[in-house]
Each structure stands twice: as structure tokens, then as C-alpha cells.
Amino acid sequence: MAKTHGDPIKSLYVHVPFCARKCSYCAFYSEPSTGEEINRYVSALVRELGWVAPDLKLESVFFGGGTPSLLNLKQWTDILDAMEKHRLLPASEFTVECNPATVSLDKARLLRERGVNRISMGVQSLDEQLLDRLGRVHSRDMVFRSWDTLRKAGFDNLNLDLMFAIPGQTLAIWDATLTEALALDSEHLSTYEVIYEEDTALFAQLQAGEVKEDEDLACAMFEELVQRAGAAGLEQYEVANFARPVWRAAAPVRPPLPDVPAHACRHNVNYWRGGSFHGLGPGATGYVRGVRARNWANTQLYCEQIEKGRRAIESSECLSPRGRAGETAAFGLRMVAGWPFETFLQVAGCDLRTEWVAAMDELVANGWGERTPERFRLSAEGLRFADSAAQLFLGSK
Ligand code: SF4
């Protein structure tokens, strides 16, 4: 069913829209669910996968959510069987997001044996009270237990997610979490500053004056993070992502990507470098050959559409070449390496040096940008404000 013209797409995102309970800050599409609903979702996903498979030659797969680790052994087996049937495996990088409350040794072994080679664990905090405040279903003990389980199952490429600027989180608490998290010796670290998104419990608390933002404290936490991660041997390669520079997994060394450490998340590097990817599952977004398409963020509707033999696409948008290039510039500047001018030219089809001179000059003048003959990138200070810097490149569709 997928129209294939041009080179096959190398990247696949699959959204698993189920969570045991909703976290207070979360605006992703996810909901609690029964086993029957999940079975129905898995059948629909397998069908959708078959339609898109002819257009895929995978280098990276990312199952995110939601909570992919909520799926049981049978459901995972059905999905992995389908991926094998369509010759989508092995993929150089195959990541599954896990919640520490839903990791068992059986499941971890199944995933590892069937081609998953990277797990991203949503830890967020190692402070019990903050975990409660965030509405997480897991405790700090579960993090350590699950981490051991994943290592025991043979995972040697692990990411952990942490959040900072959580209401009630002091610099001392952040520091203690960093100490314990870094001691886990992960291959990758992703961090997120809490954002107050509409339609979340945390946003309602902010509106009611029960919590307040503290930008100075958030900046201090970010500086602490960059310093501590670097001291622990994790190289910053994106605003809030850090990875081991030397490949340490047992799997053969992957062909290196330019400008990023060996354990950088290849799937995300593809996003930041403006690459195409298919998105499957309810609420998933894909970006294929300049067209961004989004599936219905409603599991029932998604399943109904697929069961009727139709793609479950709610909307699609064909970006203008200039709009695409602007987005590509903005995303890529989140990377510490910024944009080599020649690479940008190849990817976006236009030249940063002529199209966005004013934006680059402004960023250099205020200390947020650095320009050399080969590339433009954000300075350490500019990276802290990457979202604001990005605005200068966006807006022309
Ligand atoms: S586990 Fe993740 S996706 Fe699910 S509610 Fe919490 S933050 Fe959102």
C-alpha cells in the first residue's frame, strides 16, 4: 500500500499508546487499556506494518509511547514475527522504551534475542517524592532492579531518561539523582526540562498557582548536568543528549556517523538531520520525502480504519522547500556539531550561507552562535536557548 518512489526509508517510529497510568506532565497520546484493546492494536499495527514494509530498508527502529514494555510476550512475539516476515530485521539500531515497572527477565530476553539492541528507560528521577509528584508508576528501587534485569538479558546499549526543573526539585536533589544515575554507567543519557503543556495535570497546578517556574534554577541544573555528564565520560552531542564516545557493546562497531559519539541515538540523529521516517500506530507522525503525515491519535479510530483496509492518517502536509529547509536548519542546530554548510546543502537543497545570513549574524552577535568557514553551530549558551534560536529559521512555509 505504501507508494514507493525514491530510495527506501531507513527509519521507523512505532507508537504504543498505552500506559498503566497518566503522568502529571505528559501530553503524549496514551491511555490506560485492557488486554483486549492491546490485542486489537497489535493486529492493526501488524497490518499497517505490512503496508509500509515495501518502502522500508531499516537502519533504525524506535518503539516509543506510551509504554511499549507494557505489551506482553505474545503481543511482542506477534510484532517481531511480522517484522521478520517482512524482512525488516535485523536493524542496526532497534530501540524499545521501557518503564521500570514493566520490565521482566522473560520479556527482556525475548526482545534481546529477537533483535532489539537498545533500551531506553524512563527513569525521570530517583527521588521517591518527585516520582510521586510526577505520577510515575515506578519506584526508585524498580529502576535499579530493572537495570540489572536488562544487563542480565544481554543489553549493552542502554539509555536512561531524566527530568530536571521538576517542581519541588532542589539543586541538591538533582545532584543526588545525577550521582546515582551516572553510577549506573549507561551508554546514553537523555534529559528533559519539565515543560508545562496544556491539558496536563502539571499545567493545571501551574495555573492554580500551586507550583511555579524558576528559570534560574533550571539553568543551574542544566549547567550541573553538562558538567557532571562530561566528567562521567558522556559526551554532549545534542542540547540534552549525551553518549559514550567509544563503542562498548559486543555487537560489531556500527559505521560511525559524522560528528557524534559512537553511542549516539542514530534514530534521533536522523530526525535532527532532517531525514525521512515512517510513523506507525495511533498518533504517530511520519515524515517521508517532504510530506508530514499524522495518524489518528485515537486507538479505536486507528484500529477501525486499519480493519477497513485503510491507512489511519488524520492529516498530511506537504511542506514547501523553503519551509522544509528552515525546519531542517532549526532541528539540526540542536546538535552540538551544528550544521556543516556542505551537509546542509546536500540535505536541504539550499545554502545556509546565503539563505539565513541575517539569522546567523544575529546569533553570533549575541553570543549564541559560532561560525567558521565550514559550519555554523550554537555556542554553549546558545544551546541552552536552542528553542528561541530556532525561531529565527522557522516561519516560512
Ligand atoms: S509513562 Fe511516558 S507516555 Fe506514559 S503517561 Fe508517563 S510520560 Fe506519558
Side-chain angles (χ1 to χ4, degrees):
M1 188 180 253
K3 290 192 192 111
T4 55
H5 28 73
D7 293 338
I9 303 303
K10 297 177 185 160
S11 215
L12 174 68
Y13 173 75
V14 179
H15 194 71
V16 182
F18 309 110
C19 288
R21 119 175 145 214
K22 197 75 189 167
C23 300
S24 64
Y25 56 90
C26 179
F28 293 119
Y29 170 57
S30 69
E31 54 192 37
S33 198
T34 63
E36 255 332 288
E37 282 165 321
I38 301 181
N39 285 339
R40 188 178 177 202
Y41 155 82
V42 169
S43 301
L45 176 66
V46 163
R47 219 167 153 191
E48 192 185 24
L49 192 63
W51 294 337
V52 173
D55 195 32
L56 290 170
K57 190 164 189 333
L58 288 180
E59 285 180 9
S60 77
V61 191
F62 197 106
F63 275 71
T67 308
S69 52
L70 210 57
L71 269 50
N72 63 29
L73 295 181
K74 164 82 172 64
Q75 290 155 348
W76 268 115
T77 302
D78 289 350
I79 293 170
L80 294 164
D81 283 350
M83 291 180 79
E84 272 180 14
K85 184 180 133 196
H86 295 296
R87 301 180 195 283
L88 297 177
L89 298 178
S92 165
E93 181 183 277
F94 187 165
T95 305
V96 171
E97 280 186 341
C98 284
N99 181 299
T102 52
V103 175
S104 69
L105 188 56
D106 282 354
K107 206 181 291 180
R109 281 194 171 134
L110 172 81
L111 296 177
R112 186 69 194 93
E113 282 161 12
R114 299 290 304 271
V116 178
N117 53 24
R118 185 172 183 272
I119 297 285
S120 176
M121 187 188 275
V123 172
Q124 316 314 355
S125 177
L126 288 166
D127 181 272
E128 239 17 299
Q129 281 184 343
L130 290 185
L131 287 172
D132 270 356
R133 162 153 255 166
L134 293 172
R136 301 289 297 177
V137 287
H138 68 85
S139 64
R140 50 176 273 120
D141 281 352
M142 287 176 193
V143 171
F144 300 116
R145 275 206 302 275
S146 297
W147 198 262
D148 287 346
T149 300
L150 292 170
R151 290 294 196 204
K152 206 164 154 191
F155 283 101
D156 46 17
N157 192 10
L158 295 180
N159 168 60
L160 64 85
D161 284 347
L162 293 179
M163 295 181 84
F164 63 97
I166 305 167
Q169 188 182 35
T170 62
L171 199 52
I173 294 175
W174 174 231
D175 212 41
T177 288
L178 278 175
T179 300
E180 287 190 296
L182 292 170
L184 288 171
D185 198 31
S186 66
E187 283 68 41
H188 194 281
L189 172 67
S190 292
T191 61
Y192 303 86
E193 179 175 346
V194 165
I195 42 175
Y196 295 83
E197 302 218 48
E198 282 186 44
D199 297 328
T200 64
L202 208 55
F203 182 75
Q205 289 167 22
L206 182 72
Q207 295 292 89
E210 291 162 22
V211 298
K212 60 180 175 33
E213 294 176 275
D214 184 340
E215 188 54 32
D216 290 342
L217 182 57
C219 281
M221 288 179 175
F222 182 73
E223 276 166 26
E224 182 74 2
L225 161 71
V226 172
Q227 191 274 324
R228 295 285 309 274
L234 287 158
E235 184 183 322
Q236 184 185 18
Y237 70 101
E238 192 262 359
V239 174
N241 281 275
F242 306 79
R244 302 271 165 212
V246 178
W247 187 246
R248 36 147 95 159
V253 182
R254 305 177 298 186
L257 294 177
D259 289 335
V260 296
H263 279 277
C265 175
R266 297 167 91 87
H267 189 80
N268 286 341
V269 169
N270 181 57
Y271 290 154
W272 296 319
R273 282 284 179 242
S276 287
F277 58 95
H278 276 290
L280 306 183
T285 297
Y287 177 68
V288 175
R289 304 179 187 99
V291 178
R292 181 175 298 121
R294 181 176 155 88
N295 275 352
W296 288 101
N298 176 319
T299 304
Q300 196 177 337
L301 201 50
Y302 164 83
C303 291
E304 278 170 16
Q305 294 294 308
I306 304 267
E307 286 158 6
K308 285 179 189 158
R310 297 201 283 256
R311 293 293 305 272
I313 294 170
E314 178 194 12
S315 61
S316 66
E317 179 189 14
C318 183
L319 302 179
S320 70
R322 168 84 183 186
R324 272 165 75 178
E327 282 199 8
T328 303
F331 275 131
L333 287 178
R334 297 187 61 82
M335 295 182 66
V336 172
W339 272 114
F341 294 123
E342 289 304 324
T343 309
F344 185 81
L345 189 56
Q346 280 165 22
V347 172
C350 65
D351 199 331
L352 265 184
R353 288 166 291 197
T354 51
E355 299 295 316
W356 278 281
V357 180
M360 290 191 293
D361 285 349
E362 185 178 332
L363 291 169
V364 171
N366 71 11
W368 285 9
E370 295 169 355
R371 184 175 175 165
T372 67
E374 294 82 40
R375 72 178 71 218
F376 178 76
R377 67 180 180 191
L378 297 181
S379 63
E381 191 188 351
L383 282 172
R384 176 73 188 91
F385 301 103
D387 290 342
S388 303
Q391 292 306 317
L392 297 176
F393 297 84
L394 299 173
S396 48
K397 302 245 162 174

